[in-house]
DNA sequence: TTGAAAGCGCTAACAA
DNA sequence: TTGTTAGCGCTTTCAA
């Protein structure tokens, strides 16, 4: 059996078979205007529509109403388990409200981000949720802003206050992680940050430095991984271990993927965790508890993050204006097996 | 600074400022028709368009051309790490070809699947890639087929041959897993399948039974988990352990998430892996190597799966017809730490 | 309660 | 090489 292109039923087809004008069909099929049509007509129209498998053409509707009922969601890396729960949070908020989510990956590339935002703008999305955002990624964002597009930044601040921001409270999360390590007796700490041009990396990094100030006799330093990936984390930890000097007894990683790279690096060098080195991650991605050892990490409320971003966006769309507010959701430290007492020196 | 709704520039705005007719603007801005316009005009139009931040309205274009240049992708669970690489494979194939991917999650719910497919059909996607597909999910699929929509099934066969199928070679993967276990001396095997109404579960399950037939003196049985999740796998393994009778020395899981649940269950019951029980997963999701113990599993070429599904779909769109062919990509066994010699009895 | 008519922004056939 | 015209399928005034 082969599938051939059948012409899709239009509102005129329904009108003809139901013996009414297409305007009446439109009214009968839309919840907001259904009450203007007699019950008998509504019933008849619905029956015919079902028979024909009629589904209204969203492009025609959008063209007429100048609303696409679509929201563009831009994320840097779908394969990072941090993002899927956020996307589901966004969908859980938007779908019941009739919106379609257009999801786009950028692979953390500014060029792709520009292309993708242009494509979404071309589809006349009613708003954008942007979880990408290298600091100097102003072009795509500025373009969106220039044409008056509604948007919300998620998790990453693009540096300039063009749009509202919804994120986890990174600073308090890092502070909790450092306090936990301090209490375990750690005095030699390293923070392996993500690329510092990312606002989250910058925030976490300065929070780390700040938090370490209050630990007496602590030696703390920050090093930078090239990316928020397992491989980059592993490579950077390799260097920390091999470059000589005093080896840290604890590592605070910029995110869970970097932390996982740290764990791999430790294994490769015959070091134990948490015996030789304690490790704390960030985000509490799915499976963090299944790594070996189970990862102590800062939990970020991903689902809520997505829901809130969607809520803030819809508010902006409804009110017709947006203020660049900041909404920080609380984070919490989840203590598992990758942190333990500092080895005696 | 607040964002207010500015009217988006249209092709008429560009035409006016460039002192040409809008048809000329259309020609100048489309690669396929650009050669019909004088170089000077193209240059002028492009400059004006850039000045105005003009982005063509995809809804208007789609309405006119009756092509949305969008492909709908339906998946059951974005948070299952198996799917994101597939989605990226799809995007990598489609984006360079000018298509936008509309991604939709169903949470494995038939009701959501129906709603989501209707929504995508309403947006007049040029085609669908469906990685959902509970066996009796005929309604959404049948509806799509009835209106002549192009589609490809990915990984899961919906049972009826409405559309082409692209999937991994599950049977050979399971056979390799069983052969590996047999060679390690295992004779008491259990397969914890996913819901058997899923075609993949059914395929893997019968492949398991078949493969076990060739092991002399083997005792093999199949049990069913309620879902392809960690929790369902853990619960099912709990029952296997506590229900008494002879405990299996090896478990073949329906997918990696179930396998992870099995690992958790073993830990909870004070059993070691692979010392007491060997475990094999399926899919080789990201992080499978970071579990404890690192998971022996069957690798499915996810990225290629996505690329191939997109390719097959575009072929169907271009040719105007589709045959319900089946394309199986090769799988391979990845041996890690979760399998070892059977304990002596 | 229903119908008629206009128009959203674009492309493509036809004309010049 | 450029302009004119029509129309994709829908919603929304305005009229009846």
């Amino acid at each position: 059996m082969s599938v051939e292109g059948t012409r899709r039923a239009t509102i005129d087809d329904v009108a003809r078979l139901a013996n009414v004008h297409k305007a009446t069909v439109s009214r009968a099929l839309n919840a907001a205007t259904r009450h203007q049509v007699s019950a008998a007509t509504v019933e008849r129209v619905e029956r015919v529509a079902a028979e024909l498998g009629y589904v209204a053409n969203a492009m025609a509707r959008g063209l007429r109403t100048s609303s696409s009922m679509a929201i563009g969601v831009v994320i840097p890396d779908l394969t990072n388990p941090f993002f899927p729960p956020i996307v589901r949070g966004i969908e859980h908020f938007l779908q019941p409200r009739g919106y379609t989510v257009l999801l786009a990956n950028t692979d953390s590339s500014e060029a792709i981000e520009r292309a993708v935002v242009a494509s979404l703008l071309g589809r006349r999305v009613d708003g954008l949720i942007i979880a990408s955002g290298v600091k100097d990624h102003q072009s795509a964002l500025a373009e969106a802003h220039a044409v008056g597009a509604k948007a919300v930044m998620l998790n990453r601040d693009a540096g300039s206050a063009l749009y509202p921001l919804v994120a986890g409270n990174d600073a308090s999360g890092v502070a909790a992680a450092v306090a936990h390590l301090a209490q375990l007796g750690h005095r030699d700490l390293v923070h392996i940050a993500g690329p510092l041009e990312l606002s989250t990396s910058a925030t976490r990094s300065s929070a780390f430095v700040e938090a370490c100030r209050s630990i007496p006799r602590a030696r703390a330093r920050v090093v930078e991984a090239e990316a928020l990936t397992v491989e980059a984390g592993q490579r950077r930890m390799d260097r920390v271990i091999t470059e000589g000097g005093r080896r840290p007894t604890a590592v605070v990683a910029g995110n869970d993927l970097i932390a996982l790279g740290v764990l791999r690096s430790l294994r490769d060098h015959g070091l134990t965790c948490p015996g030789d080195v304690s490790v704390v991650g960030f985000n509490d991605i799915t499976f963090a508890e299944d790594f070996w050892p189970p990862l102590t990490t800062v939990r970020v409320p991903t689902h809520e993050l997505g829901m809130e971003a969607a809520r803030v966006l819809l508010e902006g769309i409804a009110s017709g204006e947006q203020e660049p507010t900041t909404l920080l959701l609380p984070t919490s430290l989840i203590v598992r097996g990758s942190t333990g007492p500092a080895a005696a020196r």
Side-chain angles (χ1 to χ4, degrees), chain A residues 81-97:
Chain A
F82 176 59
F83 291 104
I86 291 178
V87 173
R88 289 187 59 179
I90 293 172
E91 285 181 337
H92 281 171
F93 192 87
L94 293 180
Q95 258 160 15
R97 290 166 177 78

Side-chain angles (χ1 to χ4, degrees), chain A residues 320-342:
Chain A
E321 63 172 331
Q322 302 189 290
E323 297 295 333
T325 52
T326 295
L327 176 59
L328 294 186
L329 302 187
T331 54
S332 53
L333 183 71
I334 308 292
V335 177
R336 298 202 183 94
S338 67
T339 47

Side-chain angles (χ1 to χ4, degrees), chain A residues 44-240:
Chain A
R44 188 154 33 96
V45 167
E46 276 177 341
R47 196 166 33 72
V48 171
E51 261 168 34
L52 294 180
Y54 170 74
V55 181
N57 185 323
M59 294 189 290
R61 173 179 290 160
L63 186 57
R64 173 64 228 231
T65 60
S66 51
S67 154
S68 60
M69 290 304 281
I71 300 292
V73 176
V74 180
I75 61 171
D77 180 11
L78 240 201
T79 62
N80 178 345
F82 176 59
F83 291 104
I86 291 178
V87 173
R88 289 187 59 179
I90 293 172
E91 285 181 337
H92 281 171
F93 192 87
L94 293 180
Q95 258 160 15
R97 290 166 177 78
Y99 284 90
T100 299
V101 172
L102 310 191
L103 189 61
N105 241 319
T106 68
D107 288 353
S108 301
S109 141
E110 179 168 5
I112 299 181
E113 177 173 313
R114 259 202 310 271
V116 137
V117 168
S119 157
L120 293 170
L121 253 26
R123 292 189 184 273
R124 295 299 188 268
V125 290
D126 294 338
L128 289 166
I129 295 176
I130 301 193
S132 179
V134 171
K135 255 197 180 160
D136 50 17
H137 276 202
Q138 293 306 347
S139 46
L141 223 56
E143 189 185 322
H145 192 262
V147 299
K150 300 284 182 296
V152 169
M153 307 299 302
L154 198 154
N155 200 46
R156 294 187 187 170
D157 187 356
S160 67
L162 290 177
Y163 287 117
L165 167 69
V166 177
N169 192 331
D170 285 5
S172 79
V174 170
V178 170
H180 168 63
L181 292 170
Q183 210 197 342
L184 288 169
H186 293 277
R187 292 298 175 271
D188 279 295
L189 305 159
V190 164
H191 175 48
I192 302 190
L196 289 171
E197 74 215 17
L198 297 176
S199 66
T200 45
S201 298
T203 306
R204 289 172 197 173
S205 158
S206 35
F208 173 80
V209 172
E210 180 57 35
C212 288
R213 262 201 255 287
S214 55
I215 311 177
R217 296 183 319 283
R219 255 174 307 257
R221 64 195 182 102
V222 174
V223 300
E224 185 180 5
E226 308 139 39
L228 290 165
T229 62
V230 178
E231 292 69 28
Q234 181 169 9
R235 275 195 300 271
R236 196 58 192 82
M237 188 62 189
D238 286 346
R239 276 179 54 199
V240 167

